[in-house]
Amino acid sequence: MSRATIIEHVHGRRVFDSRGRPTVEAEVRLQGGAIGRAIAPAGASKGSAEAVDRRDGGSAMGGHDVRGAVASVAEQIAPALRGLDGHDQIAVDEALIALDGTANRSGLGANAMIAVSMATAWAAAEAAGQPLWRHLLGERQGPVTLPLPEIQIFGGGAHAARRVDIQDFMIVCPGAETVAEALDWTAEVYRAAGELMAESGRLAGVADEGGWWPVFASNEEALEALVQAIERAGRRPGDEVAISLDVAASEFGKDGSYQLARDERVLDRDAMIELLEGWLDRYPIVSIEDPLAEDDAEGFLRFTRKFGHRVQIIGDDFLVTDAGKVRAAAQAGIANAVLIKPNQRGTLMETLECWKAARAYGFGGVVSARSGETEDVTICHLAVGWQVPQLKVGSFSRSERMAKWNELLRLEEALGDRARFAGGTPYAASPPSPSASSSSA
Ligand code: PGA
Ligand code: ZN
């Protein structure tokens, strides 16, 4: 190990996220002078099995303060990591996991852990004189895939006071040839959707992730408006611009029963699947996240059997970026893609393990931001550096979102001739590889 990459100091800082809530920023300084910095994001519609943030509780900041987590960086993490090789991400992450000592990361807090883990990666890249994406790609030569952006046009569910039940009404641009073109098309669709809302007297600001506030009489009306917006933007719904949904069904489903407040209906598992089937038949939907609740493996299985060959079925709350859950789901024939949120686990090492497990089974992958975000752009570098073919960041407004899309434009420019855009259908799952089903790795 070179002395230059030995960790000299780790600093924790209390900063604020896009909801105005405190969050943890970490700075890792190496002996050679390189510094890496990263900020933890925060979810609102969380899976019950995800790693938990450490929050102070009490009355200040609505109980969301993170003074305890920031203190854990100074008092526990900094002394434990000092002297480790910052270039050895696995050693650093294993030290964090051992120090935390809990299964759900409530000891140090997943917010403190992920900030330090990501800051370590930035510091190592800086020491190597490389941007993070290149450092993560390693020696690899040849074309580099840039992820297909998945961008919210209407926000709903927990991000819009449950104005509609479905959480994310998103678009992807499989017909675009570059990230830049996909973002141009998205900008036009986003604008057209805003105009449509204004013309019908339904413009009411934006939801948590920057999508238009969903003033709709039903969930399906949002799908109709989305198709209209795509057409108004001059794009063909389907092959050029397609729809992607995050149902986030754990927010309104439990024990196989689904309470659709907006549609004033309670559906059992099969009726819920039928509702989604109707949407899949009537709208150009190519991807659907958490179509059933996290506790409804049976529903997920039925849904995957019926539709797994025609749409991407992503587990978010259902798989919580957990390699073990991904393997189990793949072996059972449940879902065909995974959402990858680093703070659902707490370390980069485990996040990468999850993506490796997914890839081994032919699962698709989407690196994802949280609803509470900041200017931090680490996830863009992870998507490119780990070659994950899709990126979900929220909508096309508000700087915590635009910081990521703008970074992706920079990465596309930096890659030049090596850049390959994951347009087309990166969400089509390939069959599980035989070797994956027999290996326990
Ligand atoms: P979050 O949800 O509010 O937990 O970040 C985002 C998602 O469900 O994908
Ligand atoms: Zn989700």
Side-chain angles (χ1 to χ4, degrees):
M1 123 172 95
S2 134
R3 289 197 60 77
T5 57
I6 293 176
I7 296 177
E8 188 173 80
H9 186 59
V10 183
H11 178 61
R13 180 179 298 123
R14 184 172 162 277
V15 296
F16 291 88
D17 72 13
S18 54
R19 280 190 273 255
R21 288 183 187 163
T23 187
V24 183
E25 174 169 273
E27 251 169 41
V28 171
R29 190 171 74 230
L30 306 182
Q31 284 195 0
I35 292 176
R37 187 166 73 194
I39 311 177
S45 80
K46 298 183 207 165
S48 54
E50 59 178 89
V52 299
D53 287 345
R54 185 162 156 191
R55 302 270 167 189
D56 298 346
S59 56
M61 298 285 174
H64 296 292
D65 216 338
V66 293
R67 290 183 192 279
V70 171
S72 79
V73 176
E75 290 157 19
Q76 292 173 269
I77 295 177
L81 297 195
R82 192 170 300 136
L84 293 186
D85 185 358
H87 193 77
D88 189 346
Q89 185 78 38
I90 293 177
V92 170
D93 287 344
E94 280 176 348
L96 287 170
I97 292 164
L99 191 63
D100 169 73
T102 70
N104 69 356
R105 308 294 146 80
S106 55
L108 298 169
N111 43 359
M113 289 175 71
I114 198 62
V116 171
S117 182
M118 296 194 304
T120 302
W122 281 105
E126 171 74 21
Q130 290 180 330
L132 181 55
W133 64 267
R134 194 187 293 274
H135 183 64
L136 295 172
L137 265 178
E139 298 303 306
R140 182 197 165 98
Q141 301 293 315
V144 175
T145 301
L146 282 152
L148 180 74
E150 197 185 9
I151 306 183
Q152 186 194 69
I153 304 298
F154 300 111
H159 302 157
R162 304 188 193 288
R163 184 64 185 69
V164 293
D165 306 286
I166 307 306
Q167 181 179 285
D168 295 312
F169 296 88
M170 297 172 287
I171 59 165
V172 289
C173 300
E177 289 186 355
T178 59
V179 166
E181 188 170 45
L183 295 183
D184 279 359
W185 293 5
T186 302
E188 297 285 15
V189 174
Y190 183 74
R191 198 162 61 87
E195 281 171 11
L196 279 168
M197 297 306 269
E199 286 164 14
S200 55
R202 293 181 293 184
L203 192 66
V206 299
D208 264 15
E209 299 192 5
W212 301 112
W213 190 265
V215 184
F216 296 114
S218 68
N219 290 295
E220 187 155 354
E221 211 179 283
L223 287 165
E224 285 162 13
L226 197 45
V227 171
Q228 281 167 22
I230 294 169
E231 285 170 344
R232 180 183 279 225
R235 293 292 147 205
R236 270 192 316 275
D239 60 334
E240 279 194 319
V241 179
I243 296 179
S244 168
L245 294 181
D246 181 1
V247 177
S250 309
E251 292 290 313
F252 57 86
K254 204 173 166 40
D255 302 327
S257 168
Y258 295 86
Q259 306 224 7
L260 289 164
R262 180 49 33 191
D263 297 350
E264 292 178 349
R265 285 201 280 174
V266 180
L267 304 178
D268 67 14
R269 161 187 300 138
D270 287 324
M272 181 68 200
I273 293 174
E274 227 173 87
L275 174 80
L276 297 173
E277 177 170 17
W279 293 350
L280 291 176
D281 287 343
R282 291 192 290 281
Y283 302 94
I285 298 169
V286 294
S287 177
I288 186 158
E289 183 179 327
D290 286 344
L292 286 305
E294 61 181 10
D295 68 352
D296 193 359
E298 177 58 33
F300 249 101
L301 177 64
R302 287 187 205 175
F303 190 82
T304 309
R305 281 199 180 132
K306 276 186 106 161
F307 308 112
H309 61 284
R310 61 186 259 212
V311 289
Q312 172 171 264
I313 302 169
I314 307 173
D316 170 17
D317 295 350
F318 184 68
L319 296 173
V320 291
T321 316
D322 182 322
K325 286 189 193 294
V326 167
R327 283 186 204 106
Q331 283 162 7
I334 299 177
N336 59 27
V338 61
L339 206 72
I340 298 167
K341 291 168 164 170
N343 80 326
Q344 272 183 335
R345 277 301 98 229
T347 64
L348 283 189
M349 174 188 82
E350 294 160 289
T351 308
L352 178 58
E353 265 170 26
C354 175
W355 169 231
K356 284 184 174 166
R359 220 171 24 190
Y361 281 98
F363 265 39
V366 185
V367 172
S368 173
R370 302 305 303 245
S371 50
E373 270 294 335
T374 66
E375 67 274 25
D376 188 282
V377 294
T378 307
I379 55 168
C380 303
H381 289 253
L382 299 181
V384 175
W386 292 346
Q387 291 288 275
V388 186
Q390 298 160 86
L391 180 65
K392 176 185 179 190
V393 162
S395 193
F396 210 68
S397 71
R398 302 180 40 142
S399 288
E400 80 280 7
R401 312 292 150 188
M402 302 320 294
K404 275 79 158 171
W405 301 131
N406 290 341
E407 184 73 356
L408 203 56
L409 287 171
R410 288 181 202 108
L411 300 195
E412 184 165 66
E413 186 184 284
L415 277 162
D417 291 345
R418 287 184 74 190
R420 295 287 176 282
F421 179 54
T425 53
Y427 27 77
S430 48
S433 71
S435 60
S437 14
S438 55
S439 102
S440 57

